[in-house]
Amino acid sequence: MSAVFNFTFVPWFRSVAPYIHMHRGKTFVVGIAGEAIAAGKLPHIAQDLALIQSMGVKIVLVHGFRPQVNEQLRAKGQEPRYSHGIRITDEIALDCAQEAAGQLRYEIEAAFSMGLPNTPMAGSTVRMISGNFLTARPVGIVDGVDFKHSGLVRKVDVASIQRSLDFGAMVLLSPFGFSPTGEAFNLSMEEVATRVATELQADKLIFLTEVPGIRQDPLAPEGEDNPIDTELPLAAAEKLLAQLPKPQQPTDTAFYLQHCVQACKGGVERSHILPFAVDGSLLLEVYVHDGIGTMVVDEKLEELREATADDVGGILQLIEPFEKDGTLVKRSRTEIERDIEAYSIIDHDGVIFACAALYPYPEARTAEMAAVTVSPQSQGQGDGEKILKRIEQRARAMGLQSIFVLTTRTMHWFIKRGFQPVDPDWLPEARKRKYNWDRKSQVLVKKL
């Protein structure tokens, strides 16, 4: 192996590592346009998705089949019909959609089953689960147009999808839904992916499409002086969407953008529009800082930061209920103001939802994590893990070897996150002198 390769590979791999850690355990909903499969991109897309899943990402894959259905229709002497950007699905079109979906699911499952030596899929095991996870309803008659068997998502079986993901499988969804009476409805890949991402509260919604993304000036011609806008704030995306004409086909600027905006407004943190024409676009977007397509991001997302004097009131309001029920030791405003630089907080739209303080004992190479609090409104959403990671980062930056907590009620939460119980005699001498033996707090330590 050449020295040049070593010189470039090692720093590159190190630069990717933070993104691998960041996305582990996250949920991505990936919508693949049928055009990508028709263009022969499925093998490489499958390899990239298998690689992403192997790094701990949970994936729901939704495939489209627009060109495949159109090909089936033309083979039967029929022309595709659309209105309002939605296919009109008569009996013949429904048969074509069912045939296309069956063929595509076969091809997708086959692509994820390949394990040839010297390929990215070598040694990989990707289990795919698909089923009737979607309940649908008819589009009905709109502006005098009867859409027949075209439908919209009525309900997503979130619990079953989540169980499949937790089992380690990749969930595969076709754009089909069924009514409680067993009637089949043809859905759009874009709507299915958006609804599933929103219902799952996925971390990312990714569309692999025939368009490269959103230009910085969408109304101007393509060119080097009008590059792809790699990050589009939600407010700007909504404003742009209001200016664009209503989309009728996938190549229209607003076509995928409208779904990205809807997903972000529904709680999905990031929505992406990527070109399938670029080999490895999924990997470039997920694991490279600048990305390659357009990412729509909600600027109102919570902010994890160190506290300032302006946050004292919010911290007091957050911890007060837990002080009253005895979960936390009472702290005065004066004490918090004095130690405000020790606090890290999660701030969402000016409201503090979580906090923790770090009190170092340099002589013992350790530090106490105190006042760990998560608002009842956001418990179960990962804020506790985020604040813990921030405290660990601060402790490592100080050159410390461990952190410890004193708790009477939440020891199991800390044990699940790598803390080990120790005798109070373990405490640094300065902290041991302040230990309240009447409270009988458990001492838990985590090595960094």
Side-chain angles (χ1 to χ4, degrees):
M1 196 174 290
S2 71
V4 174
F5 177 83
N6 294 352
F7 182 76
T8 56
F9 172 78
V10 172
W12 170 83
F13 196 70
R14 287 171 177 164
S15 71
V16 168
Y19 296 98
I20 296 175
H21 297 311
M22 180 192 309
H23 298 313
R24 185 176 291 116
K26 299 297 179 66
T27 300
F28 294 180
V29 176
V30 181
I32 299 180
E35 287 79 0
I37 301 173
K41 303 294 183 181
L42 180 58
H44 285 165
I45 292 172
Q47 290 172 2
D48 292 347
L49 285 172
L51 182 59
I52 292 171
Q53 189 194 44
S54 73
M55 290 186 280
V57 177
K58 301 174 182 178
I59 296 175
V60 177
L61 179 59
V62 185
H63 74 80
F65 55 11
R66 190 178 295 106
Q68 289 82 2
V69 174
N70 291 346
E71 182 181 355
Q72 294 267 9
L73 279 168
R74 292 189 178 106
K76 296 182 179 181
Q78 303 289 319
E79 280 299 316
R81 292 189 297 146
Y82 295 89
S83 181
H84 300 73
I86 303 173
R87 183 188 298 277
I88 299 173
T89 309
D90 57 17
E91 293 289 346
I92 297 176
L94 183 63
D95 287 341
C96 292
Q98 291 171 339
E99 291 175 20
Q103 178 65 28
L104 285 176
R105 285 171 71 158
Y106 168 83
E107 292 180 16
I108 291 169
E109 291 178 5
F112 280 96
S113 300
M114 293 175 61
L116 295 175
N118 301 320
T119 71
M121 294 286 285
S124 68
T125 302
V126 179
R127 292 288 173 256
M128 304 203 78
I129 292 180
S130 56
N132 56 339
F133 295 117
L134 305 174
T135 303
R137 63 178 177 85
V139 173
I141 300 173
V142 180
D143 295 333
V145 178
D146 186 354
F147 285 88
K148 301 183 183 298
H149 296 284
S150 292
L152 300 170
V153 177
R154 182 190 295 273
K155 184 181 178 182
V156 178
D157 188 351
V158 173
S160 295
I161 293 176
Q162 193 62 62
R163 278 196 297 270
S164 300
L165 294 174
D166 293 341
F167 178 69
M170 186 182 298
V171 174
L172 174 63
L173 299 179
S174 295
F176 263 104
F178 303 91
S179 70
T181 59
E183 186 178 2
F185 288 101
N186 174 31
L187 312 174
S188 76
M189 175 274 287
E190 299 79 18
E191 195 228 350
V192 170
T194 303
R195 277 295 302 274
V196 170
T198 303
E199 295 287 335
L200 282 176
Q201 288 293 280
D203 299 280
K204 286 184 183 293
L205 168 62
I206 301 174
F207 289 116
L208 270 172
T209 76
E210 55 271 67
V211 297
I214 308 297
R215 299 276 170 184
Q216 289 186 354
D217 184 354
L219 303 178
E222 298 180 11
E224 292 184 1
D225 57 343
N226 188 20
I228 297 298
D229 195 341
T230 57
E231 185 169 325
L232 195 58
L234 177 58
E238 288 185 283
K239 183 178 179 181
L240 174 60
L241 202 55
Q243 298 171 349
L244 294 170
K246 194 168 182 63
Q248 298 298 320
Q249 53 189 359
T251 51
D252 292 341
T253 302
F255 187 84
Y256 291 103
L257 182 61
Q258 62 184 344
H259 296 287
C260 290
V261 167
Q262 182 182 343
C264 283
K265 290 173 71 175
V268 179
E269 292 188 356
R270 305 283 192 271
S271 297
H272 305 253
I273 302 171
L274 307 183
F276 64 69
V278 177
D279 186 30
S281 58
L282 270 167
L283 300 179
L284 290 168
E285 182 72 2
V286 174
Y287 296 110
V288 178
H289 177 69
D290 293 330
I292 187 172
T294 295
M295 175 176 69
V296 178
V297 54
D298 187 352
E299 286 188 316
K300 299 192 296 296
L301 289 175
E302 63 189 24
E303 181 183 10
L304 177 58
R305 59 179 174 82
E306 271 55 74
T308 68
D310 294 334
D311 300 312
V312 172
I315 293 173
L316 281 168
Q317 187 175 6
L318 174 66
I319 67 177
E320 183 181 18
F322 298 92
E323 291 176 343
K324 287 182 177 179
D325 69 11
T327 302
L328 293 177
V329 175
K330 186 168 179 58
R331 291 170 174 81
S332 67
R333 174 181 284 271
T334 302
E335 183 180 351
I336 293 176
E337 287 177 344
R338 181 195 67 203
D339 299 334
I340 192 63
E341 293 182 359
Y343 283 80
S344 296
I345 63 169
I346 293 178
D347 170 7
H348 191 112
D349 277 350
V351 178
I352 298 174
F353 280 86
C355 74
L358 183 68
Y359 295 99
Y361 294 87
E363 70 281 356
R365 305 293 298 277
T366 190
E368 180 181 6
M369 183 169 70
V372 184
T373 313
V374 177
S375 169
Q377 297 176 348
S378 63
Q379 286 180 1
Q381 298 181 17
D383 285 351
E385 283 83 358
K386 292 175 185 175
I387 206 77
L388 171 60
K389 287 180 181 178
R390 184 58 159 246
I391 292 295
E392 291 177 359
Q393 290 170 356
R394 294 182 66 182
R396 287 192 185 98
M398 295 177 184
L400 305 179
Q401 296 177 345
S402 64
I403 57 174
F404 66 91
V405 295
L406 275 69
T407 180
T408 57
R409 301 189 185 183
T410 56
M411 60 283 293
H412 293 293
W413 188 90
F414 290 104
I415 289 171
K416 285 182 180 179
R417 286 150 184 86
F419 285 78
Q420 298 292 330
V422 296
D423 191 270
D425 286 333
W426 178 93
L427 291 170
E429 287 299 323
R431 183 63 181 89
K432 199 185 303 182
R433 288 194 293 268
K434 296 186 289 183
Y435 181 79
N436 186 340
W437 293 95
D438 292 331
R439 186 173 168 85
K440 297 181 180 178
S441 298
Q442 292 281 325
V443 181
L444 304 169
V445 181
K446 182 175 184 179
K447 293 183 179 180
L448 301 176

